[in-house]
């Protein structure tokens, strides 16, 4: 932009594939002079200094940011936002990218999000909120299955049950409300209408007022091939999603993102950060399944490699409320991310398993983002359910797809699992 470069020290909070993509992108900025990540992981450690602080250790993170004179903190996951990290940092005059606790309720409380959507006329599944089993059962009796039962609070992807029968719906309700299987998150449940269609993610940068959308992406949430089996944190993604025509993106901006941002401002809780709309496109109309108050994972792993603008310029414009001055430049390419997971995921999975066949970190057209890894005596080992996000890009979705699976091929760890059909539907539709 011609003005003098302002150099900055950055702290990224989190330690998954999303944070690796953020750190990888920020490391490309000529303005970043120091890059830290708390807690980070083995892959992140190649671009940033990992700090052994948990993402929810708010006082520890605040002290670290003050001691290191961090110029900007970027929050990856939802948990610290829901705990109020942005409020704490702002009170201490520390710049932070992420919404306040009140604005983050759009993700942390499904009933809050539903009320906001109804008030703002945002299309979403019809729903009711319950804190007692009796009224919830009566409601289920009067609905035709399938119905969707959702825990009100944050449940790491385990809070949503698509119930094919009334019995399944009642079981989900009693697990959450009576047996407190999800703890505090399941003290209230939202029961909603089942929507059939195609899922789409549209994330946008928001500075309280201006909304700047990213490329639309599609995430594969189910564990099994052909989008079957249990929900996970996400088994792969691709961008841009061909489903998102310019007209559909405009409609999502106009009918979903902008009214949500206006609604939060009206409540006195303006939103700063990334607003994520998880949508179901039914007969061409986008309905909101959920909002998230942060970058999506794995969507971020396919969206950021396609961003040509310096990410730091964008994050800073959000924090300084001058997003209206930013124009995002996107590559014309497509990207595909294949998540490699540990056996047993999304249930209990093993950790500490050695990973072999990792490519050199300096790949052309690809990056292996680490989601759950650690270093054990200089060897990279697994550390969690989702282990790696093998991401590649190219001039077509097909090239990106083929490259991602090629990079994944030599990577081995005992019990590894990945889906072989990421972006499959979009590729088939293109050909057919
Ligand atoms: P959520 O965390 O609310 O996005 O829900 C997780 C997943 O459950 C979504 O990605 C959908 O696949 C599915 N889902 C949620 N709500 C609905 C709905 N109303 N109709 C159909 N599927 C849904
Ligand atoms: N990909 C879904 C999420 O980030 O919540």
């Amino acid at each position: 932009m011609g003005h003098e470069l302002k150099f900055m020290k950055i702290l990224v909070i989190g330690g998954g594939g999303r944070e690796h993509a953020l750190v990888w992108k920020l490391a490309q900025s000529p303005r970043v002079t120091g890059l830290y990540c708390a807690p980070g992981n083995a892959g992140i450690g190649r671009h940033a200094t990992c700090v052994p602080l948990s993402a929810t250790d708010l006082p520890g993170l605040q002290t670290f940011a003050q001691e290191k004179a961090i110029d900007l903190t970027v929050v990856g996951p939802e948990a610290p936002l829901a705990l109020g990290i942005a409020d704490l940092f702002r009170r201490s005059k520390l710049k932070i990218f992420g919404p306040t606790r009140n604005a983050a309720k759009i993700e942390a409380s499904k009933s809050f999000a539903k009320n906001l959507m109804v008030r703002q006329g945002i299309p979403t599944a019809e729903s009711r909120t319950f804190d007692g089993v009796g009224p919830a059962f009566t409601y289920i009796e009067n609905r035709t299955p399938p119905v969707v039962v959702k825990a009100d609070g944050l449940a790491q992807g385990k809070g949503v049950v698509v119930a094919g029968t009334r019995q399944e719906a009642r079981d989900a309700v009693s697990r959450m409300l009576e047996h407190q299987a999800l703890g505090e998150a399941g003290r209230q449940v939202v029961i909603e209408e089942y929507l059939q269609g195609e899922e789409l993610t549209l994330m946008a940068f928001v500075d309280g007022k201006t909304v700047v959308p990213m490329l639309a992406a599609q995430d594969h949430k189910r564990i099994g091939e052909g989008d079957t089996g249990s929900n996970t944190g996400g088994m792969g993604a691709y961008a841009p999603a061909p489903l998102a025509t310019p007209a559909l993106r405009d409609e999502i901006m106009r009918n979903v993102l902008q009214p949500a941002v206006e609604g939060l401002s009206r409540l006195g809780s303006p939103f700063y950060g990334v607003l994520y709309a998880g949508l179901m496109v039914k007969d061409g109309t986008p309905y909101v399944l959920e909002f998230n108050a942060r970058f999506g994972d794995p969507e971020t792993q396919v969206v950021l490699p396609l961003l040509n603008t310096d990410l730091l310029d964008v994050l800073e414009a959000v924090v300084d409320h001058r997003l209206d001055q930013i124009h995002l430049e996107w590559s014309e390419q497509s990207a595909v991310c294949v998540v490699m997971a540990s056996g047993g995921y999304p249930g209990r999975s093993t950790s500490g398993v050695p990973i072999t066949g990792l490519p050199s970190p300096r790949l052309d057209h690809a990056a292996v983002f680490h989601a759950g890894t650690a270093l054990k005596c200089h060897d990279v080992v697994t550390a969690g359910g989702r282990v790696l996000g093998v991401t590649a890009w190219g001039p077509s979705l097909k090239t990106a797809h083929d490259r991602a699976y090629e990079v994944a091929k030599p990577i081995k760890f005992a019990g590894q699992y990945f889906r072989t059909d990421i972006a499959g539907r979009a590729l088939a539709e293109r050909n057919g």
Side-chain angles (χ1 to χ4, degrees), residues 110 148 150 160 192-195 199 221 231 289-290:
K110 299 231 185 237
V148 185
K150 298 184 174 184
V160 176
E192 71 178 30
E193 169 200 5
Y194 174 78
L195 298 172
E199 283 189 57
K221 288 223 172 78
N231 260 318
L289 295 180
E290 63 165 346

Side-chain angles (χ1 to χ4, degrees), residues 18 78 107 156-157 201 203 218-221 232-237 276 278 290-292 294-300 386:
R18 163 185 47 213
E78 59 277 20
E107 169 168 8
Q156 289 164 348
T201 297
M203 300 186 276
Q218 204 163 19
D219 169 16
H220 292 265
K221 288 223 172 78
T232 69
M235 294 304 294
Y276 166 123
E290 63 165 346
F291 282 114
N292 291 325
R294 47 153 179 95
F295 285 100
D297 198 359
E299 289 94 328
T300 301
R386 288 192 290 178

Side-chain angles (χ1 to χ4, degrees), residues 112-136:
F112 174 90
K114 279 287 181 187
N115 288 335
L116 181 84
M117 285 188 263
V118 170
R119 264 201 314 276
Q120 294 296 109
I122 298 172
T124 185
E126 192 192 315
S127 76
R128 290 235 344 241
T129 303
F130 299 93
D131 53 16
V133 172

Side-chain angles (χ1 to χ4, degrees), residues 400-423:
H401 165 275
D402 294 352
R403 278 184 184 152
Y405 280 105
E406 214 171 283
V407 174
K409 206 180 237 169
I411 304 175
K412 302 276 179 236
F413 52 92
Q416 70 181 48
Y417 170 77
F418 59 89
R419 276 179 60 171
T420 63
D421 64 342
I422 301 304

